[in-house]
Amino acid sequence: MAEIIEVFAREILDARGVPTIEVEVGLADGVSACASVPTGASVGIHEAAESRDKDLHRYGGKGVQKAVSAIEEIIAPEITGIYAKDQDLVDKVMCHIDDTENKAMIGANAILAVSLATAKAAAKSMQQPLFRYLGGIQANSLPVPLCAIIAGGSHVDNDLDFEEFSIAPVGLPSFREGIRAVAEITHAMRAILHEKGLSTAIADEGAFAPAISHSTEALDLIMYAIAKAGYVPGQDIYIGVDCAASEVFCPNDKIYELRGEGANLSTQALKEYYLKTLRNYPIIAVEDPFEQNDWAAWQEFMKLDLSFHILGDDIFSTTPARIRKGIALHAADGTTIKPNQIGTLTETLDAVRTAQRGGMMAVVSHRTGETEDTFIADLAVATNCHLFKAGGLARAERVVKYNRLMRIEEVLGEDAAYIGKFALKSHS
């Protein structure tokens, strides 16, 4: 075991050109490791707080120099001398220094960068792959990639109300073959959009952003692309929908404003819209179907015992207490896991364990402003999660995470187990 002797931080850029933080942790045995953290675009109100400089003369106020200084001047002296393997202690010390409920004093982005770099350094010091260090000998399951293929909502300028449409290769025999199917369907989609005279421009998260307005248009295009690539919808490939309903909710009027659909819907009407629309497609999961504080709407949707998973993102925000509430209320049967929503690795792992012990599916997920860091790929294997989101196969900061999972599958060899159809609700 080696103790922490150095902590360096720097301001770097995420994939959108927005500042974020990279941290390098050095240990007494000569090992060092870097970690960088992503930034979100559509940020839920229950997420931990980022630290931003708010200096409008630099990066429009989004610089992170204050966070960098806090890491080197406040955090570093307090964690120097702690063994890197003592992740829980490192994270507790940082949370104690911040001493706010949502990490608003130092910033979750600063704390998380140190937390992840510490774990990477410890794994490297112990000469273990990160997924093995985090998950132990039982970390051998490869998740089903839930890859974005059409984007809408707040991520792009088209008229699609919902944020993301994805494909999940549940019927393939391995992760590598699953990603091959996703790539082939993505190329088929590009050709289809081109022949229809629609834009093949790529959105921030690596999905296509054609000028369409109705959810059924997106779903029909995906069904066409799946078939064109030689796969069978509902057998080889399923579809995921991220509604990001909080983004279209009007709190004053208590309605969901679906401009692309030309409709203002009550909660009940939106539920009926989902039932009418989604029953015609092979759906594996629907994420954030209602706004992030309407627990009753989520409960009523779950009571319908639908054939697909209902995933919570904004409503849970990788927060164990909120996940426990969701389990008690039976408000969802899955939760996304985004480390920067909570701010430390220890709390992230607690969120995963809380979900899984309560019968929820954990879905390790990316953010809009990603970096080249592949930590979440190892985290997905370490926690034996069923689905994994890193965006589409069109931007390096997305593809690098899928490539990391292929390498992990190779390292595991015959011990590798692809989740496949066990990710379906009918097999859960």
Side-chain angles (χ1 to χ4, degrees):
M1 294 175 65
E3 65 268 25
I4 297 168
I5 61 170
E6 294 178 317
V7 182
F8 300 105
R10 61 180 63 90
E11 182 182 66
I12 63 170
L13 298 179
D14 71 17
R16 300 172 299 157
V18 175
T20 189
I21 301 169
E22 181 177 73
V23 166
E24 185 172 353
V25 168
L27 308 184
D29 60 1
V31 163
S32 66
C34 284
S36 56
V37 295
T39 58
S42 54
V43 178
I45 61 175
H46 302 293
E47 294 190 26
E50 285 187 327
S51 173
R52 296 286 175 183
D53 296 341
K54 299 180 182 178
D55 177 358
L56 297 180
H57 297 292
R58 293 190 75 254
Y59 292 114
K62 294 184 178 181
V64 291
Q65 288 186 322
K66 289 181 181 178
V68 167
S69 296
I71 291 168
E72 296 188 343
E73 297 171 11
I74 300 174
I75 291 177
E78 295 296 325
I79 67 171
T80 296
I82 298 177
Y83 290 112
K85 192 174 185 296
D86 200 344
Q87 185 77 42
D88 183 64
L89 178 58
V90 171
D91 291 346
K92 280 182 178 178
V93 167
M94 291 191 289
C95 290
H96 179 72
I97 294 169
D98 182 276
D99 198 29
T100 63
E101 186 176 349
N102 67 343
K103 302 179 178 66
M105 198 273 279
I106 293 177
N109 48 347
I111 292 171
L112 181 64
V114 177
S115 182
L116 300 188
T118 298
K120 283 187 171 184
K124 193 174 178 181
S125 178
M126 298 183 71
Q127 300 182 351
Q128 289 185 325
L130 182 58
F131 73 89
R132 179 69 69 219
Y133 170 74
L134 295 175
I137 60 173
Q138 294 184 332
N140 65 348
S141 296
L142 276 297
V144 174
L146 187 58
C147 295
I149 192 165
I150 291 181
S154 63
H155 287 175
V156 295
D157 292 329
N158 63 16
D159 292 326
L160 269 179
D161 298 298
F162 299 144
E163 196 164 88
E164 186 176 88
F165 297 82
S166 304
I167 51 177
V170 299
L172 280 293
S174 66
F175 184 87
R176 179 174 292 275
E177 287 300 294
I179 282 294
R180 179 174 70 85
V182 169
E184 291 170 355
I185 294 166
T186 300
H187 293 308
M189 178 65 80
R190 183 184 297 275
I192 290 167
L193 294 176
H194 182 74
E195 72 183 30
K196 290 181 176 293
L198 294 169
S199 172
T200 56
I202 299 297
D204 285 344
E205 294 188 355
F208 295 110
I212 56 178
S213 58
H214 294 275
S215 296
T216 52
E217 292 180 86
L219 292 165
D220 288 341
L221 283 169
I222 293 171
M223 293 287 282
Y224 184 15
I226 293 170
K228 186 178 178 68
Y231 297 96
V232 181
Q235 181 175 316
D236 302 318
I237 312 293
Y238 278 70
I239 300 172
V241 182
D242 181 357
C243 304
S246 292
E247 297 290 321
V248 297
F249 183 66
C250 301
N252 292 334
D253 299 321
K254 304 295 184 184
I255 61 167
Y256 293 88
E257 187 177 10
L258 303 186
R259 295 182 180 180
E261 306 284 343
N264 293 328
L265 304 179
S266 66
T267 300
Q268 178 62 29
L270 181 62
K271 181 174 70 174
E272 292 170 359
Y273 170 84
Y274 290 142
L275 296 177
K276 178 182 177 181
T277 303
L278 299 180
R279 66 161 52 104
N280 299 317
Y281 302 92
I283 305 295
I284 187 172
V286 174
E287 183 177 335
D288 280 1
F290 303 100
E291 71 98 11
Q292 57 202 310
N293 286 317
D294 191 351
W295 293 95
W298 289 74
Q299 286 180 286
E300 289 301 314
F301 207 41
M302 278 290 290
K303 287 178 183 177
L304 298 176
D305 195 25
L306 301 165
S307 61
F308 48 77
H309 294 288
I310 300 172
L311 305 182
D313 178 14
D314 292 340
I315 195 170
F316 298 131
S317 293
T318 316
T319 304
R322 295 189 66 81
I323 293 171
R324 283 192 289 272
K325 181 176 180 179
I327 293 167
L329 295 177
H330 198 53
D333 64 352
T335 178
T336 57
I337 298 294
K338 300 176 179 180
N340 80 323
Q341 288 182 329
I342 189 66
T344 67
L345 175 58
T346 300
E347 291 166 299
T348 299
L349 293 173
D350 185 19
V352 174
R353 287 190 292 266
T354 298
Q356 292 175 336
R357 288 170 182 168
M360 272 192 186
M361 180 172 67
V363 182
V364 172
S365 181
H366 64 139
R367 299 308 299 262
T368 302
E370 272 296 335
T371 72
E372 64 271 28
D373 196 302
T374 62
F375 194 99
I376 61 169
D378 284 76
L379 178 65
V381 178
T383 56
N384 290 307
C385 81
H386 279 50
L387 294 172
F388 176 77
K389 295 180 65 176
L393 296 186
R395 292 190 181 278
E397 76 279 1
R398 316 287 157 186
V399 176
V400 68
K401 295 167 177 58
Y402 297 122
N403 285 342
R404 172 60 183 159
L405 285 167
M406 285 194 282
R407 294 187 183 102
I408 291 173
E409 186 174 56
E410 186 177 85
V411 168
L412 287 169
E414 293 182 355
D415 292 330
Y418 182 53
I419 292 293
K421 290 189 175 181
F422 286 102
L424 296 171
K425 187 171 183 177
S426 59
H427 288 73
S428 305

